């Protein structure tokens, strides 16, 4: 486990006064907190403060009472059975503060399950706030054990993989407005959904927020946006259910400690058997698609692996080799790093840059998907899919083809492993209305064929099959490019280059077909692929005469946005910094709309100052 910086979890250093004022329980009056701060070291004072909060809560529970907000805390006794902690090192390092019971449980820990990042984050918090003494090797071992035995099931982790993959997305898993404003107003909702807890633990986590973050108490105690049935909209605020109560009920029901997924996965989770050859299909915004292979060999310990990659660009034909290592947690969750031999080009978007790797392996260990990323703000990254090469024919990817309806003699490249070396057109199927007219070449790693697409061929994503091997929805058949999308549709770049590193932003223009219903932006629309475009920027009108487009940075011909330098700019009005908001506009070179004008699309870009303060970045690696 590495600890490169501190990005994702707020540090309390220099902020204890605010924390104490916001979180002071009845047993620690204002003058007591001030006295503790003067007489005790900061770490000790903070520790006593948090202990007093928990003590006050438990005391209220034992007396059948409620906390200051009137919130019912009468059920602090754990009703869930807990997950025993059996690892000697974990019990040694954690058991001095987390009390053991006769069943082998450790308080708090046995009623939480989390991702590797979540456990790493918890250990760092214990070091900072509670004086835990632990070496990097010991921390790595504890994180590995807790992730394996107190982790998430694959089905639980998959919806929140965008957190360890460092993706900037619009979250779709927020269930209601109450949790949106009560939880996701301060951090991604994927943060709490990356753990599973007993009801008591969810309540204690809410208390920890109140203790550490001054704004949390006010957030929690506001009336919930989603009031239960029977509560009048005209009721007084004091008579309404609070956000805290709604959040606790929802999390307890939907993210409880024991789930059917975990009950099914726990007996199956063992040392992953990932050694062997894997086919790689990857795409890198601005650089196009890559295919290749990954050879995985066992490392020194169970769950450790060494890796060797060979990737071929389908855009310029270049070949890229990489070597790396990884750890697999909980039987499916891959965290690794890799580098390319030779000198780097020095370009920020160099595909040969040192990468961090996050992959989710399917429970049957036949496929994986995830992201390999780099950059000061993790802004560059390959979208990756792996398919195990088992000796049987496997199709990994299909090259981009001009497979319009009515097209003839279109060349299609099919990439895979152990493909038949002798093929006839009858051995290959590309769906209804698509006919293979000729096999140009055939080899174990690539087959090249020419196809004819009927004028009335069904539009959509067609399967590609070679004898027993099938790659689903791999060939887009379309009559025209109906519209464009610039991805990402909203984005953030950071000024830099003097004292702080720049945060770049790559863009890509994707062509879409409307699908059988003929309507844009509906469920049957499908992506055709990247479209050649001309890039430009336009003003996003927020402040009169601010002319952000002239100051925020430059947009390259390849869609890479390079921000300007940080610091005051005397050429701007009031010597403002080079921050601002702009539209990133893509204009198609070849595709037209029904009126004959080039298709266009745009994306909203915010260019802001560097991240001067870095929060805890809970990286997990070898």
């Amino acid at each position: 486990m590495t600890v490169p910086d501190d990005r994702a979890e707020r540090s309390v250093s220099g902020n204890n006064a605010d924390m104490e004022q916001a979180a002071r329980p009845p047993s620690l009056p204002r003058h007591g907190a001030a006295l503790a701060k003067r007489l005790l070291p900061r770490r000790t004072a903070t520790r006593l403060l948090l202990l007093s909060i928990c003590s006050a809560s438990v005391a209220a529970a034992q007396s059948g009472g409620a906390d200051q907000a009137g919130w019912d805390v009468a059920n602090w006794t754990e009703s869930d059975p807990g997950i025993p902690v059996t690892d000697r090192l974990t019990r040694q390092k954690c058991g001095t503060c987390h009390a053991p019971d006769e069943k082998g449980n450790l308080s708090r820990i046995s009623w939480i399950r989390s991702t590797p990042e979540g456990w790493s984050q918890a250990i760092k918090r214990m070091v900072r706030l509670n004086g835990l003494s632990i070496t990097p090797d010991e921390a790595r071992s504890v994180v590995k054990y807790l992730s394996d035995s107190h982790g998430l099931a694959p089905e639980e982790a998959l919806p929140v993989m965008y957190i360890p993959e460092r993706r900037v997305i619009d979250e779709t898993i927020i269930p209601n407005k109450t949790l949106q404003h009560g939880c996701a107003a301060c951090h991604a909702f994927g943060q709490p959904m990356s753990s599973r807890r007993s009801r008591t633990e969810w309540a204690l986590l809410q208390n920890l927020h109140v203790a550490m973050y001054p704004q949390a108490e006010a957030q929690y105690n506001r009336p919930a946006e989603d009031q239960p049935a029977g509560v009048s909209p005209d009721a007084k605020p004091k008579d309404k259910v609070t956000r805290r109560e709604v959040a606790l009920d929802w999390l307890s029901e939907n993210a409880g400690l024991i789930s059917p997924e975990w009950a099914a996965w726990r007996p199956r989770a063992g040392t992953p058997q990932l050694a062997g050859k894997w086919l790689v299909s990857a795409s890198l915004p601005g650089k196009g698609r890559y295919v290749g292979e990954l050879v995985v060999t066992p490392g020194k310990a169970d769950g450790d692996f060494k890796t060797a990659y060979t990737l071929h660009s389908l855009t310029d034909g270049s070949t890229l080799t990489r070597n790396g290592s990884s750890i697999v947690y909980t039987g499916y969750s891959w965290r690794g790093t890799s580098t390319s031999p030779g000198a780097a080009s020095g370009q920020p978007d160099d595909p040969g840059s040192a990468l961090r790797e996050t992959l989710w392996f399917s429970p049957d260990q036949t496929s994986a998907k995830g992201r390999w990323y780099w950059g000061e703000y993790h802004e560059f990254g390959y979208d990756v899919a792996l398919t195990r090469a088992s000796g049987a024919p496997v199709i990994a990817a299909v090259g981009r083809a001009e497979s319009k309806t009515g097209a003839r003699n279109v060349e299609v490249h099919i990439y895979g492993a152990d493909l038949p070396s002798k093929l006839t057109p009858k051995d290959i199927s590309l769906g209804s209305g698509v006919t293979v007219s000729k096999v140009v070449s055939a080899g174990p790693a690539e087959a090249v064929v020419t196809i004819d697409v009927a004028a009335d061929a069904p539009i959509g994503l067609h399967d590609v099959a070679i004898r027993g091997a099938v790659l689903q929805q791999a060939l887009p058949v379309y009559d025209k490019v109906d519209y464009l999308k610039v991805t990402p549709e909203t984005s953030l770049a950071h000024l830099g280059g003097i004292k702080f590193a720049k945060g770049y932003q790559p863009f890509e223009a994707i062509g879409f077909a409307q699908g059988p219903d003929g309507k844009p932006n509906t469920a049957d629309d499908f992506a055709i692929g990247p479209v050649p475009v001309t890039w430009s920027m336009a003003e996003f009108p927020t402040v009169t005469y601010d002319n952000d487009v002239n100051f925020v940075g430059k947009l390259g011909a390849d869609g890479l946005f390079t921000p300007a330098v940080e610091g005051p700019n005397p050429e701007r009005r009031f010597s403002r910094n080079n921050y601002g908001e702009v539209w990133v506009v893509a204009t198609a070179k070849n595709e037209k709309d029904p009126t004959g004008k080039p298709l266009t699309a745009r994306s909203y870009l915010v260019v802001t100052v560097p991240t001067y303060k870095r929060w805890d970045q809970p990286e997990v690696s070898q």
Side-chain angles (χ1 to χ4, degrees), residues 474-603:
L475 181 71
V477 173
Y478 59 101
D479 54 357
K480 64 181 183 302
V481 177
D482 291 305
Y483 62 93
L484 303 182
K485 279 188 179 180
V486 176
T487 58
E489 295 184 73
T490 59
S491 57
L492 186 69
H494 293 266
L495 303 169
I498 300 178
K499 292 187 176 181
F500 297 88
K502 294 189 175 194
Y504 300 84
Q505 181 58 60
F507 292 94
E508 194 168 39
I510 307 296
F512 279 78
Q514 292 177 351
D517 69 359
K519 299 177 181 179
N521 301 305
T522 57
D524 66 351
D525 293 6
F526 60 95
I528 298 169
V531 171
V533 297
T534 300
W535 293 100
S536 61
M537 292 192 301
E539 189 72 17
F540 185 92
T542 51
V543 179
T544 305
Y545 306 123
D546 61 351
N547 297 319
D548 289 340
V549 72
N550 297 328
F551 297 102
V552 294
K554 302 295 182 182
L555 186 63
D558 58 353
L560 176 63
F561 176 78
T562 301
V565 297
E566 77 273 31
N569 185 348
E571 297 183 7
R572 294 200 80 172
R573 192 179 185 187
F574 308 122
S575 292
R576 286 182 299 167
N577 216 313
N578 288 316
Y579 55 76
E581 301 164 271
V582 295
W583 291 114
V584 172
V585 182
T587 302
K589 294 181 177 180
N590 304 315
E591 309 299 337
K592 311 288 185 182
D593 66 15
T595 68
K597 295 180 180 179
L599 291 177
T600 63
R602 63 184 185 179
S603 170

Side-chain angles (χ1 to χ4, degrees), residues 24 42 57 63 180 183 203 214 248 270 279 342 349 361 378 382 394 436 559 561 601:
R24 188 172 49 256
R42 175 182 293 169
S57 298
S63 64
Q180 179 180 358
C183 301
L248 179 61
L279 304 184
D349 60 344
F361 279 79
H378 310 142
Y382 296 83
V394 175
V436 177
F561 176 78

